[in-house]
Amino acid sequence: EFAAAVLSHGKGVAFHIQPSTGTLKAFQQLIIEITAYNDMWGEYWDDLVCKVGDLQPKLIPMQMTVKGCPIFLQMTGPQTEQPIISVFSPRFGTHVSGGCPVFRRVRLNNPTPFDIRLDWEIYNLEQDDKKLVDLLMFFGDPFPPKAMDENETASIGSNSESEIMLKLDQTAIPCGSIYPASQTTDEEIISQEPTIQKIVSVLIRPHEGVPADNPYSITPRQIVVPGGGSISVCISFTPRLLPEAVPEVQCEGFVLGFMSLDDELAKTVPHKVHRRHGYEAPPLRIDLQAFVRRALLKVDMDHDGGMVFYSMASDLIPAQPLLGVLTDSVMTQKLKLINCTKVPLYFRLRLSTPFSLSSTGPQKNTKTSHSKKEENEQQPQLVLYPQQNMLVKVSFHTTLELLTYQHLPDTQLLPGFQVLQFENGERKLKFNQNLVIEYSNRTTQV
């Protein structure tokens, strides 16, 4: 509360002197404590005025540099899953490959007295990335203000891998200068900067990541955080579809928010304050992490070779033949589906005649499906949560209709159907079919 009161004048920095007045006795030494409070980055200059009686005031120059980003983050809004969050690291957890985008809403709090504009850039961290520096080249302002209703457009500057920003001024070019040959002090440069319009800017900086727009994205790409207030942005993660040979991938990245000050008084007060912005100021960094797993259920069966049914045509003859021939004889085997992943798996089971299936205690998915309504009613979407299992009964139906298949021509045979003819004249009908697990991300498991 005391620091807030001292900084209430809204200049970003305040000095508190203790004691600020008193009497210095003969041959006495007195230590004056000067405490600096700040809530805004920048380079500050001021004079400590020491008045002794009627003597000429003594000016003691003071200088202080405040570095860092004052904006801090806060996760907001209802979350469908409880993420593990550190102050600057929203984590998206583990998700199924090819699934729906996941959103995190982040609130940006600005404790400073000035409005701060943030321009976002997204980077991916890639393994075996041996690049050391980035070269960025810009024409004009690299972060121009955008109109509120303007559509998202690409930045004027480019930061692709084939490019790298060397600022064309004294501080960035070790040998030579675009300024006149006369030596210029830092304070003179600061006072001159507002009158100098830079046309071309080149920057060299350490390479940390590869610019990308996926799997992470942030909206809006430019935002103004009001002084003493807050505003929200939305960070999304879209799980990509993994190849079959890759069971899991870790997606690491980060977002950089480059700070700009549109108020000229906030940027520079001649001989008092200078605040760097854009690429010259340390950006706000948000580290991002997520895992993508391929949708896969563990299948437990009694036999490694799959499910094999042996049925006889005579199974249709009941114990009392006088009652007539049965129309259907059913043989059933069981298998267990286990979710060993860290994410819920939504799926459908596909199997057609002469096989059928039923699950014990299935849970229907409450999410909206993109399939037809009739298909949903016939094949309800099931869900298995992490470490849960489901018992599935697979049945083979022997019917009178199946017995007629042996007389069909080859052009009318069902897929997976074979007529086996033996030398003794005996015939067997063989039906081969795969039980297909169709996941919500449109991948399948056989």
Side-chain angles (χ1 to χ4, degrees), residues 117 119-123 136-146 150-160 163 165 205 211 213 221-222 258 279:
R117 175 164 53 88
D119 288 85
W120 300 102
E121 292 182 359
I122 305 173
Y123 299 85
L136 307 180
M137 181 177 290
F138 302 96
F139 297 89
D141 187 356
F143 299 113
K146 299 178 183 179
E150 183 180 349
N151 293 330
E152 291 288 335
T153 56
S155 174
I156 296 178
S158 176
N159 50 5
S160 64
E163 298 172 318
M165 190 172 174
R205 65 177 183 182
D213 291 327
R221 295 299 291 262
Q222 185 181 92
F258 292 93
Y279 282 107

Side-chain angles (χ1 to χ4, degrees), residues 13 62 128 150 246 265 273 314 356 409 416:
V13 159
M62 297 190 302
D128 302 326
E150 183 180 349
V246 181
L265 189 61
V273 182
S314 58
S356 68

Side-chain angles (χ1 to χ4, degrees), residues 4 25 27 30-32 56 60 99 133-134 147 183 207 227 346 351 356 359 400 402 440 444:
K25 298 179 181 179
F27 302 103
L30 186 63
I31 296 177
I32 305 296
Q56 187 72 19
I60 304 175
V133 294
D134 289 334
Q183 295 295 325
H207 176 75
Y346 298 87
L351 200 61
S356 68
S359 57
L400 291 174
L402 286 186
S440 58
T444 57

Side-chain angles (χ1 to χ4, degrees), residues 263-322:
D263 184 2
E264 292 298 329
L265 189 61
K267 285 192 283 190
T268 302
V269 177
H271 309 291
K272 291 291 184 182
V273 182
H274 175 66
R275 296 187 179 96
R276 303 179 185 274
H277 61 280
Y279 282 107
E280 297 178 341
L284 170 65
R285 177 172 174 140
I286 306 175
D287 292 306
L288 307 170
Q289 185 186 69
F291 294 87
V292 179
R293 284 190 64 94
R294 195 163 60 89
L296 190 67
L297 288 171
K298 181 182 178 182
V299 182
D300 277 353
M301 293 184 291
D302 294 335
H303 305 283
D304 295 336
M307 305 185 108
V308 182
F309 298 86
Y310 294 96
S311 177
M312 303 289 290
S314 58
D315 292 341
L316 295 174
I317 301 176
Q320 299 179 0
L322 298 179

Side-chain angles (χ1 to χ4, degrees), residues 78-89:
Q79 305 294 330
T80 56
E81 299 176 11
Q82 188 65 29
I84 302 174
I85 304 166
S86 63
V87 177
F88 290 97
S89 302

Side-chain angles (χ1 to χ4, degrees), residues 31 38 45 68 110 154 173 181 288 337 356 418 432 439:
I31 296 177
N38 73 85
W45 295 266
N110 180 7
I173 305 178
L288 307 170
L337 301 178
S356 68
Q418 287 180 290
N432 282 323
Y439 296 99

